[in-house]
Amino acid sequence: MDKAALEEGTQFAPRFDASGLIVCVTVEAATREILMVAYMNQLALDKTIETGVAHYWSRSRNALWRKGDTSGQVQRVVSLSVDCDQDALMLTVEAGGDGKACHTGRKSCFYRQVTTDGGPRRLIFTE
Amino acid sequence: MDKAALEEGTQFAPRFDASGLIVCVTVEAATREILMVAYMNQLALDKTIETGVAHYWSRSRNALWRKGDTSGQVQRVVSLSVDCDQDALMLTVEAGGDGKACHTGRKSCFYRQVTTDGGPRRLIFTE
């Protein structure tokens, strides 16, 4: 697919990387808060589109991962977007269960900010 | 670094991948809109923190990329967050210039949604 078709076309042609994965940013629909960044392979993407529930590919477990299967925090798909060169996805969801997307028990995986305060870099907790 | 320190500690220890890159989701501070997904290497991350202006690593050009150098859309860093297992970054920015982060001339790179309408998958433009 040429650059014009990739960027300005209506054909969905996600570009998986050498490992067969594409990065996915998952956003809560109501708040626009970024909940997590995860990966999908073709199977996870197909399952997500076909079922309307977020599926990812777990790189650590090397397995299909239906978000919420163990935690109850199922993510219902509101919309799925792709970026200009089709190598990143943005999934907008409504989170079920207690809405805590992060395995640490927090709503978002992004609960720490980098600070320097003029000194060495360190993290401060924001949730 | 053990899992507890990685996830619950205050040490910033970004985990670059085998190519020396870490994925970064860039968000507009005022609107929480996701502008783009890009990558940083250690150099781009250092420059971003030290200058307060977003730097990325261009995988296509294999070069440090100070966002806005050619377009004027410099991104001033409001905050930088890291996810639970420190393999993804979230950069919150104020965009300079005309605020259009995407090289296609749009504000966000995520300007197309996947739809099926019960038929084959295709993209519809949202911007």
Side-chain angles (χ1 to χ4, degrees):
Chain A
M1 181 177 286
D2 68 17
K3 185 176 162 76
L6 189 70
E7 296 186 352
E8 300 294 339
T10 58
Q11 187 183 336
F12 182 43
R15 291 167 58 220
F16 298 95
D17 68 13
S19 304
L21 300 175
I22 188 167
V23 68
C24 175
V25 184
T26 302
V27 181
E28 185 181 52
T31 62
R32 302 193 68 87
E33 186 172 357
I34 296 181
L35 299 176
M36 53 190 283
V37 169
Y39 292 82
M40 292 183 181
N41 61 1
Q42 184 72 62
L43 176 63
L45 177 61
D46 289 347
K47 290 278 190 189
T48 298
I49 293 172
E50 289 161 12
T51 66
V53 169
H55 290 68
Y56 303 100
W57 186 258
S58 168
R59 297 181 300 170
S60 56
R61 292 184 288 111
N62 209 35
L64 184 70
W65 163 35
R66 180 179 178 273
K67 177 73 180 166
D69 257 356
T70 55
S71 66
Q73 293 124 7
V74 171
Q75 296 174 337
R76 286 181 304 278
V77 176
V78 174
S79 65
L80 174 65
S81 296
V82 66
D83 79 343
C84 45
D85 60 355
Q86 302 207 36
D87 67 356
L89 300 172
M90 179 176 77
L91 190 63
T92 304
V93 302
E94 291 174 351
D98 60 11
K100 296 182 188 305
C102 183
H103 76 284
T104 66
R106 297 174 178 90
K107 180 176 177 184
S108 166
C109 295
F110 292 93
Y111 52 83
R112 289 174 296 181
Q113 271 183 21
V114 181
T115 183
T116 63
D117 292 338
R121 295 170 194 174
R122 60 186 177 82
L123 299 175
I124 52 172
F125 285 77
T126 53
E127 182 181 340
Chain B
M1 180 175 286
D2 68 18
K3 185 177 162 76
L6 189 71
E7 296 186 352
E8 299 295 339
T10 58
Q11 186 183 337
F12 182 43
R15 291 166 59 218
F16 298 95
D17 69 13
S19 303
L21 301 176
I22 189 167
V23 68
C24 176
V25 184
T26 302
V27 181
E28 185 180 51
T31 62
R32 303 192 67 89
E33 186 172 356
I34 296 180
L35 299 176
M36 53 190 283
V37 169
Y39 292 83
M40 293 184 180
N41 62 359
Q42 184 71 63
L43 176 64
L45 178 60
D46 289 347
K47 291 278 189 189
T48 298
I49 293 173
E50 289 161 12
T51 65
V53 169
H55 289 68
Y56 303 100
W57 186 258
S58 168
R59 298 181 300 172
S60 56
R61 291 183 288 112
N62 208 35
L64 184 69
W65 163 35
R66 180 180 177 276
K67 177 72 181 167
D69 256 357
T70 53
S71 64
Q73 294 124 7
V74 171
Q75 297 175 336
R76 288 181 302 279
V77 176
V78 174
S79 65
L80 174 64
S81 297
V82 67
D83 78 342
C84 45
D85 59 355
Q86 302 207 35
D87 66 357
L89 300 172
M90 179 176 76
L91 189 63
T92 304
V93 302
E94 290 173 352
D98 60 10
K100 297 183 188 303
C102 183
H103 76 283
T104 65
R106 297 175 179 91
K107 180 176 177 184
S108 166
C109 295
F110 292 93
Y111 52 83
R112 289 174 296 181
Q113 271 183 21
V114 181
T115 184
T116 62
D117 292 338
R121 297 170 193 173
R122 61 187 177 83
L123 299 175
I124 52 173
F125 285 76
T126 54
E127 183 181 339

